[in-house]
Amino acid sequence: MFKLEPRPAPSKALTIASPLIALAITVVVGVMLFAALGKDPLAGLQMFFVEPLKSGYALAELSLKATPLILIALGLAVCFRANLWNIGAEGQFVLGAICAGGVAMHATPETGRWIVGAVLLAGVLGGMLWAAIVALLRDRFHANEILVSLMLVYVAEMLLSYLVYGPWKDPAGYNFPQTITFLEATRVPKLITGFRMNIGVFIALAAVAGFAIFLYRTYAGFQLQVGGLAPAAARYAGFSSRRALWTALLLSGGMAGLAGALDVAGPQGQLTPYVPLGYGFAAIIVAFVGRLNPIGIVFSAVLMSMFYIGGELAQSRLGRPKALTGVFQGLLLFALLACDTFIHQRLRWVSTK
């Protein structure tokens, strides 16, 4: 039978090139997929890899989708490096949006633009609160953070539904499940007139620089990574596992909450049941394709955003289901896992006789 065994010295070049190899495999499988669906493969690939970069408007939309993916993936990268599996960033994103929306709805026509800062801060605190539940249950009761964080996603979604169908429903909204449209003073400032791109782009880039410094240039970041790579060595060195747990989860929750606040106070402009967009789950792929590196996450977030826009274009122009976005995301993840597996291990036939 076949058996996987570790390679004595995995190729460094292949390890670095693994995401590119995975992307190439995804493209090849995508070509076969479009051919099987009876569509021109080149036209299909153009929807995913050319159209999202074709114009200024397309690039603005690309940045709008990449921003939350970058922010959430940065927080998840910290968790994963600390060997903590926060799978519930989607719930933290939703709660950040809820808290940000709650602040935005209290604005009046006399409110100044300072409230944008309060809206974003509320989003950060909301995401941290939701992540703190995971940290508390893991810290005090040794609950599995995968299950707890994932289940809290559905709790956050139910809370959102309760609010928009109940106490926060717009009385002048023709009975639609939505809040009032937020006043202009609460909305995230746009960068260019006529485009939806906003200052979230610069916030995301600043976060990339901040997380790069934190992970690679601070003692706290070093402690956190050692705790994830070698827990026994971290204990021997006197590093606090509890501090690493709370630091990683609060940072991750805060970034997801910030992404939710930027989304609801930016392109959406109100709370609806459709606030959950799947960014929290897609960011898991972004983090791993980016090698848990802040710079790599930027490139993988752009790629994932192209998949989002490509899926929408394939639906509107080619009549293909929007689920193609998820198909390409899944293909990329599985191709990356396969590449990493065979780069670090080799397949060997072992006789059973």
Side-chain angles (χ1 to χ4, degrees):
M1 63 177 181
F2 287 103
K3 180 181 179 181
L4 285 172
E5 62 178 27
R7 295 182 184 274
S11 170
K12 291 184 179 180
L14 286 178
T15 300
I16 295 172
S18 181
L20 297 177
I21 299 172
L23 177 59
I25 294 172
T26 302
V27 171
V28 171
V29 176
V31 167
M32 294 188 291
L33 181 62
F34 277 110
L37 292 172
K39 296 293 181 180
D40 180 4
L42 293 180
L45 291 180
Q46 183 179 358
M47 295 298 107
F48 282 87
F49 297 102
V50 177
E51 293 296 330
L53 306 173
K54 201 171 182 180
S55 65
Y57 177 80
L59 290 173
E61 292 298 303
L62 190 70
S63 72
L64 205 64
K65 295 187 181 298
T67 294
L69 290 174
I70 291 171
L71 292 171
I72 300 171
L74 286 171
L76 291 179
V78 171
C79 276
F80 297 155
R81 283 181 176 273
N83 202 22
L84 292 167
W85 296 92
N86 178 17
I87 307 299
E90 183 76 359
Q92 294 144 28
F93 175 91
V94 172
L95 205 79
I98 291 173
C99 293
V103 172
M105 285 190 296
H106 283 84
T108 66
E110 291 75 32
T111 304
R113 292 292 281 171
W114 61 266
I115 198 172
V116 173
V119 168
L120 298 183
L121 178 60
V124 172
L125 295 177
M128 292 177 73
L129 172 64
W130 219 235
I133 298 174
V134 181
L136 178 64
L137 294 177
R138 165 69 187 269
D139 185 23
R140 296 296 298 274
F141 304 104
H142 305 288
N144 186 294
E145 74 273 11
I146 297 175
L147 295 177
V148 173
S149 61
L150 184 58
M151 292 301 101
L152 283 174
V153 173
Y154 304 105
V155 177
E157 290 177 351
M158 291 300 101
L159 176 59
L160 173 65
S161 294
Y162 163 73
L163 291 172
V164 297
Y165 279 96
W168 286 4
K169 182 192 284 186
D170 182 4
Y174 303 99
N175 207 35
F176 284 102
Q178 61 190 28
T179 65
I180 60 172
T181 302
F182 302 150
L183 296 179
E184 189 61 32
T186 67
R187 304 290 293 274
V188 180
K190 295 180 180 179
L191 292 179
I192 305 174
T193 304
F195 295 91
R196 297 199 300 167
M197 182 171 59
N198 56 48
I199 62 169
V201 175
F202 294 123
I203 294 175
L205 293 177
V208 169
F211 272 77
I213 293 171
F214 171 74
L215 286 173
Y216 304 121
R217 292 292 184 268
T218 67
Y219 187 57
F222 173 73
Q223 286 181 314
L224 188 143
Q225 294 187 77
V226 170
L229 291 171
R235 286 193 298 269
Y236 181 78
F239 296 165
S240 172
S241 59
R242 292 187 65 192
R243 183 183 300 168
L245 166 70
W246 282 91
T247 299
L249 282 171
L250 290 180
L251 276 174
S252 183
M255 297 306 288
L258 176 59
L262 284 169
D263 190 68
V264 79
Q268 297 206 38
Q270 62 182 165
L271 288 173
T272 71
Y274 309 107
V275 165
L277 296 170
Y279 288 145
F281 297 117
I284 298 173
I285 304 175
V286 170
F288 280 107
V289 172
R291 289 299 193 218
L292 306 184
N293 181 288
I295 304 301
I297 283 172
V298 174
F299 292 102
S300 60
V302 170
L303 176 63
M304 197 63 61
S305 302
M306 292 168 66
F307 288 169
Y308 270 109
I309 295 175
E312 295 170 359
L313 292 174
Q315 181 185 29
S316 61
R317 298 184 185 181
L318 302 179
R320 296 296 92 192
K322 192 178 178 181
L324 276 175
T325 298
V327 171
F328 271 87
Q329 291 175 354
L331 281 173
L332 181 62
L333 178 61
F334 281 110
L336 180 67
L337 292 174
C339 288
D340 286 349
T341 297
F342 288 107
I343 287 171
H344 292 89
Q345 301 181 76
R346 59 186 175 191
L347 199 61
R348 184 178 179 184
W349 173 262
V350 178
S351 177
T352 56
K353 295 182 180 180

